[in-house]
Amino acid sequence: MRGLRLGLALVALAGMGCATDPASRLRAAEKENQRLTQQVQDADRALQSVGAYTEELRSPGKSGRSFNLYFTPASLEQQASRVLPMRMPARSFHEKLQGDVIVERLYDVRFGPGNTLTCRALLRGDNVRYTGSVPKAYQAEVRRFQSGVAAGVVADLVVDLSLSDTSLVARASAMRTKLQANSSANAEGMLRQQVNERALRLPFTFDLTIQGAGAVPRRMVLTANHLVVTYAP
């Protein structure tokens, strides 16, 4: 893989031979090399997932009585719809907020390499108010933020999955938050930071035990199309 990355970088350099500024060529080459390196790393992780999935398909016969359950992105969205909407205190997002934040739904679930998935969460504020002292010059901006949260927030999440005992552990982080009304880069950046530092500080756990099945989850692997959970005695 190191040779592949070097070869890709040389191709990128050769393609920029018409540039006249050496410093510009170097910066462009470094940026292109970073992009290509990231692609190679993503491919490495994807191959690891495929290898783990292949081994998973072979392993049931080795472990005796066992079976696999397969979850698609659509089935995970359906599972989430059974527990949503979910109401959370607004102070979970910021210590000087009152009211509630309602997680309306999770959607656009996509599986990625390395047992990670991406999805979007739709949230909205219910009577959310800022209780801190606000200078008069910023009061209108705070009101716009409050009405923007009430109109709805879309959060783009990256979720890392793992198996602990009988539970699926999901560690999420928000890569972006977008106000559906009164959009503001500063407000959205602050909201994303607070979501990560407070609301998503602790992982979420989901019990995978099947009552009466006589088996518990032993392994978990994420492929491009399925979350595969292996159950065994």
Side-chain angles (χ1 to χ4, degrees):
M1 285 298 178
R2 181 179 299 174
L4 176 58
R5 288 196 294 268
L6 179 60
L8 293 173
L10 291 175
V11 170
L13 282 168
M16 295 177 215
C18 58
T20 57
D21 182 4
S24 297
R25 291 202 304 269
L26 180 59
R27 287 193 298 269
E30 290 175 344
K31 185 176 181 179
E32 181 67 5
N33 188 45
Q34 291 174 357
R35 184 183 70 83
L36 295 171
T37 299
Q38 183 62 50
Q39 289 183 353
V40 171
Q41 291 173 348
D42 289 343
D44 284 342
R45 287 193 294 268
L47 288 172
Q48 291 171 6
S49 294
V50 170
Y53 183 43
T54 302
E55 182 60 28
E56 194 62 50
L57 293 176
R58 295 171 178 165
S59 62
K62 302 176 183 178
S63 59
R65 185 166 56 88
S66 63
F67 60 91
N68 290 333
L69 288 185
Y70 300 84
F71 300 91
T72 65
S75 66
L76 292 186
E77 291 179 18
Q78 185 178 19
Q79 292 286 337
S81 69
R82 296 178 180 176
V83 297
L84 298 177
M86 179 176 63
R87 186 177 292 266
M88 304 171 64
R91 64 176 177 272
S92 300
F93 295 80
H94 194 283
E95 60 185 5
K96 293 186 178 180
L97 288 179
Q98 287 185 348
D100 293 313
V101 173
I102 301 172
V103 183
E104 294 282 3
R105 66 188 182 103
L106 292 176
Y107 63 102
D108 200 16
V109 175
R110 301 184 182 186
F111 296 157
N115 285 346
T116 62
L117 63 83
T118 60
C119 65
R120 285 182 170 172
L122 177 62
L123 312 92
R124 66 175 178 85
D126 182 18
N127 199 27
V128 172
R129 303 178 309 281
Y130 183 73
T131 61
S133 177
V134 180
K136 188 174 182 180
Y138 296 98
Q139 290 177 0
E141 184 176 345
V142 170
R143 287 194 296 270
R144 282 176 55 83
F145 173 73
Q146 292 176 170
S147 62
V149 171
V153 181
V154 175
D156 290 341
L157 305 178
V158 175
V159 184
D160 179 74
L161 301 177
S162 61
L163 193 64
S164 177
D165 295 328
T166 62
S167 296
L168 181 68
V169 180
R171 293 176 173 84
S173 60
M175 305 304 294
R176 185 185 74 119
T177 54
K178 180 68 175 179
L179 293 168
Q180 295 189 307
N182 302 332
S183 177
S184 164
N186 288 336
E188 289 163 351
M190 179 192 69
L191 182 60
R192 179 183 61 81
Q193 180 180 356
Q194 292 298 319
V195 166
N196 284 328
E197 292 181 356
R198 297 176 65 87
L200 300 179
R201 181 174 58 89
L202 298 176
F204 299 91
T205 59
F206 304 91
D207 189 6
L208 295 178
T209 302
I210 302 176
Q211 297 298 326
V216 295
R218 297 297 187 187
R219 292 178 292 274
M220 181 276 299
V221 64
L222 197 66
T223 74
N225 300 309
H226 295 94
L227 169 64
V228 186
V229 180
T230 299
Y231 288 80

